[in-house]
Amino acid sequence: MARDPFETRVRETIRTRAMLAGGERLVVAVSGGPDSTALLSVLGALREELRLDLHVAHLDHGLRPDAPGDAAAVARMAEALGCPYHEAREDVAAAAARARRSIEDAGREARYRFLAAVAREIAAQVIATGHTRDDQAETVLMRLLRGSGPRGLAGIPPVRPHEGLRVIRPLIDAPRDEIAGYLARRRLDAREDSSNRDPAMLRNRVRLVLLPILEGYNPDVRRALARLAEVVRDDADALDALSAPQVDAVLRGTTGSVHIAVAAFGRLPVALQRRALREAIRRVRGNGAQIAFVHIEEARVGVLGGRPGAAWQAPGGVRIFRRRDTIEVTVEPETGDGAPCERG
């Protein structure tokens, strides 16, 4: 049977973005919705050519009474393709309340924690998720509304490292209308998540209200936003690589506590000052999750103009403390939501 054009498109994304070399064991994240259903089907079609060992993983977020139906549908898909199936359940609402985070953020963290655990259990090297070009456009707009810097506007990376694994997004160049057409041609049923129409979630308001308005100004705005993310990501990657020696030169320490000389920090260009603070946070935390542009900028301006003893808190227990000649970045239990606090 001839390969579907959509499968050819995804195969080209995998090739041009160097997502897979062939022969990998993959954990495929499948919610049961249209995007992840298409992802699993396409990877199944490419399995022989790329010599892939596919494992299907499904996490019930504990948010909807019909969620067990999603799990059952995904399990049937896995069985039909002859793929091992992994399932878990987590109370995401409770986790969000405990951490004082949005349900969307808590759900994302729970998913990747589950997917990484499955990957470690089966010795997989790669996690595949069903993010699309439309997801990319929505993400860029959301981050623009929140006041993100360049890294935020770079959107969803097609490939990224995660806890020693690789996360890939084979559908990242595909619009949702092409996915719908593929599902129809393949006569594949997908589950519809009612929470995707909940106006309380910012992503849903961006998808259902803001993007249609913007399409009145530019019918191809989704492609334009995805292109913006690509350009900004390439520029940010290049500046990171070029500035790495200068940033590294002002940092002392690796885990637990990182010190930055105030004088050397002040001589850096502003863009590299921000990178130095982000790198210091990454070193003490292991990642930069939840750290927004506003947290970096408040601390950057504060440590340059503040008196010794001033301190700033950022998410994840990050504490940035201004000493007389150095800036100390550490991690300790969180005491706030990122607002600066003064100490004598």
Side-chain angles (χ1 to χ4, degrees):
M1 183 170 59
R3 176 172 291 169
D4 187 277
F6 183 74
E7 295 166 358
T8 300
R9 169 197 268 281
V10 175
R11 177 67 181 91
E12 186 65 6
T13 292
I14 291 172
R15 185 190 67 80
T16 58
R17 297 186 180 276
M19 292 182 173
L20 297 168
E24 291 93 344
R25 176 171 292 169
L26 272 71
V27 175
V28 186
V30 184
S31 67
D35 301 340
S36 62
T37 296
L39 173 67
L40 180 57
S41 176
V42 169
L43 290 177
L46 298 174
R47 176 170 47 182
E48 184 175 350
E49 176 190 344
L50 296 177
R51 298 174 287 109
L52 303 178
D53 180 9
L54 304 179
H55 286 244
V56 177
H58 175 82
L59 179 66
D60 177 356
H61 292 67
L63 296 173
R64 295 180 291 109
D66 59 344
D70 297 345
V74 175
R76 287 193 297 270
M77 291 166 55
E79 183 179 13
L81 285 171
C83 300
Y85 173 69
H86 307 263
E87 179 187 330
R89 186 183 188 279
E90 183 159 338
D91 188 341
V92 167
R98 284 194 304 271
R100 292 184 297 173
R101 299 173 63 186
S102 71
I103 285 179
E104 186 177 19
D105 284 346
R108 183 184 307 108
E109 183 176 292
R111 281 194 300 279
Y112 283 105
R113 185 168 57 246
F114 163 64
L115 294 169
V118 172
R120 286 191 293 268
E121 177 188 339
I122 64 172
Q125 304 93 356
V126 183
I127 295 169
T129 69
H131 291 91
T132 68
R133 193 175 75 189
D134 290 73
D135 290 317
Q136 185 73 285
E138 293 160 12
T139 298
V140 171
L141 272 181
M142 289 168 62
R143 292 179 180 176
L144 182 64
L145 292 172
R146 290 169 174 165
S148 293
R151 269 296 164 203
L153 296 180
I156 304 168
V159 181
R160 74 171 176 89
H162 178 75
E163 298 182 4
L165 305 164
R166 258 189 7 270
V167 177
I168 65 172
R169 281 78 185 231
L171 306 186
I172 198 66
D173 297 321
R176 285 202 186 105
D177 57 355
E178 289 189 14
I179 290 171
Y182 174 72
L183 294 175
R185 290 192 300 275
R186 287 288 187 241
R187 298 181 181 178
L188 294 170
D189 292 326
R191 304 276 295 182
E192 289 295 337
D193 184 346
S194 58
S195 67
N196 285 338
R197 304 194 70 82
D198 181 358
M201 294 186 180
L202 175 60
R203 182 175 291 275
N204 292 341
R205 297 198 299 278
V206 167
R207 176 188 301 134
L208 302 173
V209 180
L210 182 54
L211 271 169
I213 291 173
L214 293 177
E215 284 174 326
Y217 294 90
N218 177 4
D220 207 21
V221 68
R222 297 168 198 260
R223 186 193 300 270
L225 289 165
R227 186 169 57 244
L228 170 64
E230 189 95 13
V231 171
V232 172
R233 187 184 318 112
D234 289 343
D235 285 354
D237 287 345
L239 185 52
D240 283 349
L242 292 170
S243 65
Q246 291 173 269
V247 168
D248 189 61
V250 305
L251 303 181
R252 295 292 179 270
T254 53
T255 59
S257 177
V258 171
H259 292 258
I260 309 171
V262 171
F265 182 79
R267 288 193 294 269
L268 290 175
V270 171
L272 301 199
Q273 291 174 358
R274 294 173 182 140
R275 279 169 166 76
L277 284 174
R278 280 198 177 276
E279 175 60 15
I281 291 170
R282 188 197 66 77
R283 290 187 184 186
V284 299
R285 276 190 59 192
N287 62 68
Q290 303 177 60
I291 304 299
F293 177 82
V294 65
H295 302 126
I296 297 293
E297 194 65 359
E298 285 179 358
R300 185 190 72 81
V301 173
V303 297
L304 288 174
R307 60 182 175 81
W312 289 263
Q313 294 288 140
V318 172
R319 179 175 175 273
I320 300 169
F321 185 71
R322 167 68 193 268
R323 300 189 183 278
R324 193 177 81 171
D325 297 319
T326 63
I327 304 158
E328 182 182 21
V329 182
T330 60
V331 175
E332 58 185 32
E334 288 191 77
T335 60
D337 60 1
C341 59
E342 295 289 331
R343 281 179 49 167

